[in-house]
């Protein structure tokens, strides 16, 4: 370090000389580091100093196929109808439990929108018939137990993670919460206040607005398009939560997965005792309603004075339980479902430099699916980005898919599939989800073969059948005064009036 007095002592000439030397040392240092890296990456030099070989480009590297054997879990069923998957794993002294309950916000009455989410939250926070909310929290904290409950659109979950030494305590609290929640009025009020506050903040994120409004258009007339309102949440009562819980939380409506450090016979005995007297469903829970499947073609615009536009296109697509599911999974991968090698990313992001984020999405559900594309671009390139997206969809639809590209997509999906099973908890979660959705038990065993046997003709056929860029929903959020051309060139534009809170 150069002190102040030393700096004053140095003449301008000397300071210049020192700066030149420092710059030279810096260049020499960086050059040395670069040469060291080059030497490390170069196999060898000939006696004359010439390179004898160089490493191939990363994309040309070839690896042998990954060999993967899916771990097996044992399926059992209690007399009360509770289905249990068991996967012992004694590597670490922890037991993880996941329960999947057939429920969801799709089952909410139209005048009780929001009750499902509140029910799940207060089940965990509102205490039980034997423990107050504070006592439950203290027990969980003292024993370092994680216990959670959640209800989303088409299912409910309860989860437990506990040290093996505290397994009895953890299981007792787990079943106390899902069987005997107290729904303390204080916690109900708190959950309602939190939900109302979250509703007031729903329009803070332009991205959230765009995808929410796209979903509402796609599922119009279906409970999946319902949105909780402040007035609706205020009207919900503690009894509404009690009623929702009583309707869906029963042993014959629940599938459990247990993995970790336990002995199967011992834990089955514990489950028999802990679920004794748990009443079965009074009436079967019907499958979730299925959307119409007919995409309502429309062009929609949300006005926001922003420098960036959010563009979403899409509609209904292939269900997960359809023979074309695997071909469409690959098609989505090719379009933009993963990485910079996809068609949308290559053209719009890498070649044109129009977007930092662009891609496609595909969600295959039971008896219906949804897919589409998205792009975040500068306002002044909005129309060009839409045009390019349509051109790429038409190009793929017309069969312009190369065999090399297809193989890349298949290899990517197969390699990613292996990493879906890095933990026993993840394996069990996937198995109970298969049973919940009624998919074949060998779905995961056959997944890799089903991907491998998809041909180029299969992908081209599903592209022709399901990609309908001229008959989809187009939604644009942005500042149309900054668009390079009017959005109306694509057709009649619906102005979306976003609800204010």
């Amino acid at each position: 370090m150069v002190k102040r007095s030393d700096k004053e002592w140095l003449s301008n000439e000397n300071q210049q000389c020192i700066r030149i030397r420092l710059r030279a040392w810096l260049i020499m240092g960086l050059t040395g580091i670069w040469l060291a890296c080059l030497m490390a990456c170069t196999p060898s030099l000939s006696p004359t100093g010439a390179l004898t070989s160089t490493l191939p480009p990363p994309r040309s590297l070839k690896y042998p196929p990954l060999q993967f054997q899916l771990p097996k879990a044992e399926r059992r069923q209690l007399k009360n109808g509770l289905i249990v998957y068991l996967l012992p794993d004694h590597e670490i002294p922890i037991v993880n439990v996941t329960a999947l309950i057939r429920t969801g916000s799709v089952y909410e009455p139209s005048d009780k929108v929001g009750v499902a989410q509140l029910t799940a939250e207060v089940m965990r926070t509102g205490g039980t018939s034997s423990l107050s909310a504070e006592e439950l929290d203290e027990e969980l904290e003292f024993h370092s137990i994680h216990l959670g409950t959640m209800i989303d659109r088409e299912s409910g979950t309860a989860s437990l993670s506990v040290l093996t030494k505290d397994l009895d305590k953890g299981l007792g609290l787990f079943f106390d919460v899902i069987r005997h929640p107290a729904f303390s009025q204080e916690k109900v009020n708190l959950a309602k206040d939190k939900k109302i506050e979250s509703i007031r903040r729903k329009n803070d994120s332009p991205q959230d607005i765009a995808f929410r409004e796209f979903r509402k258009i796609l599922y119009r007339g279906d409970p999946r398009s319902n949105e909780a309102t402040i007035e609706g949440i205020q009207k919900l009562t503690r009894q509404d939560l009690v009623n929702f819980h009583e309707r869906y939380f029963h042993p014959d409506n629940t599938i459990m997965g247990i993995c970790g450090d336990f002995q199967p016979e011992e834990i089955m005995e514990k489950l028999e005792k802990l679920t004794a007297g748990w009443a079965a469903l009074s009436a079967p829970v019907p499958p979730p309603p299925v959307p119409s499947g007919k995409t309502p073609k429309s062009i929609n615009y949300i006005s926001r004075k922003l420098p960036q536009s959010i563009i979403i296109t899409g509609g209904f697509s292939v269900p997960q339980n359809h023979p074309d599911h695997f071909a469409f999974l690959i098609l989505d991968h090719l379009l933009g479902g993963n990485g910079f090698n996809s068609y949308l990313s290559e053209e719009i992001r890498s070649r044109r430099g129009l977007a930092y984020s662009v891609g496609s999405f595909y969600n295959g559900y039971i008896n219906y699916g949804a897919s589409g594309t998205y792009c975040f671009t500068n306002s002044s390139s909005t129309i060009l980005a839409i045009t390019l997206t349509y051109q790429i969809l038409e190009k793929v639809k017309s069969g312009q898919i190369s065999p090399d590209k297809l193989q890349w997509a298949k290899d990517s999906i197969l390699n990613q599939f292996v990493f879906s099973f890095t933990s026993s908890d993840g394996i069990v979660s996937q198995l109970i989800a298969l049973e919940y959705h009624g998919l074949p038990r060998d779905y995961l065993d056959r997944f890799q073969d089903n991907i491998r046997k998809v041909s180029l003709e299969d992908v081209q056929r599903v592209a022709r059948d399901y990609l309908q860029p001229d008959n989809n929903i187009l939604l644009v959020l942005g500042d149309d005064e900054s668009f390079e051309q009017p959005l109306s060139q694509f057709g009649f534009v619906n102005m979306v009036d976003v609800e204010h809170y």
Side-chain angles (χ1 to χ4, degrees):
M1 175 181 286
V2 179
K3 297 178 180 178
R4 178 182 176 83
S5 57
D6 295 333
K7 288 175 68 177
E8 293 172 350
W9 174 80
L10 291 172
S11 66
N12 291 338
E13 184 177 353
N14 286 337
Q15 291 179 42
Q16 179 66 19
C17 181
I18 289 173
R19 281 197 292 270
I20 293 173
R21 287 178 180 175
L22 288 172
R23 189 180 302 117
W25 292 340
L26 178 62
I27 293 172
M28 290 172 62
L30 292 174
T31 304
I33 294 171
W34 179 78
L35 287 172
C37 293
L38 181 63
M39 291 293 291
C41 298
T42 305
S44 63
L45 295 174
S46 70
T48 61
L51 295 174
T52 55
S53 64
T54 58
L55 291 174
R59 290 187 181 183
S60 66
L61 294 176
K62 302 294 183 185
Y63 299 96
L66 291 172
Q67 299 299 322
F68 173 69
Q69 192 68 36
L70 185 66
K72 301 294 183 185
E74 181 184 5
R75 181 187 185 278
R76 298 196 187 187
Q77 187 166 15
L78 274 61
K79 294 176 182 176
N80 56 21
L82 179 68
I83 296 171
V84 185
Y85 281 84
L86 302 173
L87 183 58
D89 180 357
H90 303 288
E91 186 173 355
I92 54 176
I94 290 179
V95 177
N96 292 312
V97 179
T98 302
L100 204 52
I101 300 96
R102 188 169 300 285
T103 181
S105 61
V106 291
Y107 294 105
E108 292 173 333
S110 58
D111 60 342
K112 305 290 183 188
V113 175
V115 69
Q117 184 183 350
L118 291 183
T119 300
E121 179 173 344
V122 187
M123 280 178 65
R124 162 60 191 88
T125 62
T128 69
S129 58
S130 59
L131 293 171
S132 69
E134 292 72 23
E135 289 171 336
L136 176 61
D137 288 342
E138 288 174 5
E139 286 286 328
L140 295 174
E141 185 177 358
F142 182 79
H143 294 281
S144 298
I145 296 171
H146 170 78
L147 198 162
T149 50
M150 183 181 71
I151 297 179
D152 60 21
R153 195 164 290 125
E154 299 190 23
S155 65
T157 57
S159 59
L160 168 73
S161 183
V162 58
L163 291 170
T164 305
K165 67 181 183 64
D166 294 324
L167 180 57
D168 288 346
K169 170 65 72 175
L171 284 174
L173 295 174
F174 179 80
F175 280 102
D176 205 16
V177 166
I178 64 174
R179 290 187 60 185
H180 310 296
F183 293 108
S184 132
Q185 185 64 59
E186 180 186 356
K187 297 299 182 181
V188 171
N189 294 340
L190 179 62
K192 288 173 63 175
D193 289 344
K194 288 170 57 181
K195 181 60 181 176
I196 289 171
E197 186 57 30
S198 73
I199 292 173
R200 291 195 174 108
R201 298 198 308 268
K202 282 172 71 174
N203 291 339
D204 288 357
S205 165
Q207 185 174 327
D208 290 348
I209 295 172
F211 279 95
R212 182 185 73 223
E213 296 302 322
F214 178 85
R215 177 170 53 80
K216 289 169 66 177
I217 296 169
L218 178 64
Y219 292 111
R220 187 167 291 156
D222 183 276
R224 294 168 181 82
S225 68
N226 291 342
E227 288 284 328
T229 64
I230 293 175
E231 294 75 18
I233 295 297
Q234 287 172 335
K235 291 178 182 176
L236 291 176
T237 66
R238 174 185 176 277
Q239 190 59 45
D240 292 327
L241 277 60
V242 172
N243 294 342
F244 197 86
H245 168 264
E246 288 182 352
R247 174 68 182 96
Y248 298 102
F249 284 78
H250 297 275
D252 49 344
N253 199 41
T254 302
I255 304 170
M256 287 184 66
I258 304 177
C259 62
D261 185 24
F262 66 89
Q263 299 298 328
E265 298 307 325
E266 292 180 5
I267 206 161
M268 289 303 294
E269 289 182 15
K270 299 179 192 296
L271 294 182
E272 290 282 4
K273 293 178 181 177
L274 289 166
T275 62
W278 194 5
L281 283 166
S282 56
V285 177
V290 179
S292 67
K294 296 179 180 177
T295 302
K297 172 182 167 54
S298 59
I299 298 166
N300 308 276
Y301 170 65
I302 302 172
S303 177
R304 282 290 185 277
K305 294 297 181 184
L306 299 171
Q308 176 182 265
S309 294
I310 300 174
I311 304 165
I312 307 173
T313 71
F316 287 113
S317 187
V318 184
Q320 188 178 8
N321 55 335
H322 191 281
D324 287 337
H325 167 67
F326 295 100
F328 200 89
L329 202 60
I330 294 172
L331 176 62
D332 172 65
H333 212 81
L334 288 165
L335 278 174
N338 186 62
F340 297 146
N341 286 339
S342 62
Y343 287 120
L344 287 167
S345 188
E346 275 187 340
E347 181 63 28
I348 296 177
R349 185 184 191 278
S350 303
R351 190 167 300 143
R352 303 280 187 143
L354 296 178
Y356 180 76
S357 181
V358 59
S360 63
F361 59 89
Y362 167 51
N363 294 313
Y365 304 99
I366 302 304
N367 298 326
Y368 76 100
S371 65
T373 70
Y374 63 89
C375 178
F376 306 155
T377 188
N378 191 291
S379 298
S380 61
S381 56
T382 301
I383 303 302
L384 177 57
I386 296 171
T387 303
L388 289 171
T389 298
Y390 283 161
Q391 288 177 354
I392 292 166
L393 292 175
E394 287 292 350
K395 174 184 173 182
V396 173
K397 183 180 171 69
S398 63
Q400 298 181 46
I401 302 171
S402 70
D404 288 344
K405 206 73 167 178
L406 174 67
Q407 192 58 52
W408 161 78
K410 293 168 72 170
D411 290 344
S412 297
I413 293 172
L414 291 172
N415 292 336
Q416 290 174 8
F417 176 76
V418 174
F419 293 101
S420 302
F421 306 96
T422 55
S423 68
S424 54
D425 191 28
I427 296 166
V428 169
S429 295
Q430 298 219 35
L431 291 174
I432 63 176
L434 290 179
E435 174 122 10
Y436 182 85
H437 294 299
L439 291 169
R441 291 183 187 176
D442 61 351
Y443 178 90
L444 295 176
D445 296 312
R446 296 168 54 196
F447 182 90
Q448 291 174 300
D449 286 340
N450 283 329
I451 290 293
R452 289 191 186 99
K453 69 183 183 184
V454 171
S455 67
L456 185 59
E457 291 72 25
D458 293 330
V459 179
Q460 290 172 338
R461 177 179 53 77
V462 297
R464 286 194 304 272
D465 292 347
Y466 297 104
L467 293 184
Q468 304 292 337
D470 295 332
N471 197 34
N472 267 358
I473 297 169
L474 168 64
L475 183 143
V476 180
L477 182 150
D479 180 7
D480 60 350
E481 293 181 359
S482 301
F483 295 172
E484 64 271 46
Q485 296 176 51
L487 185 61
S488 58
Q489 67 180 279
F490 298 108
F492 178 78
V493 179
N494 300 308
M495 301 294 291
V496 179
D497 186 16
V498 176
E499 191 171 358
H500 297 279
Y501 305 99

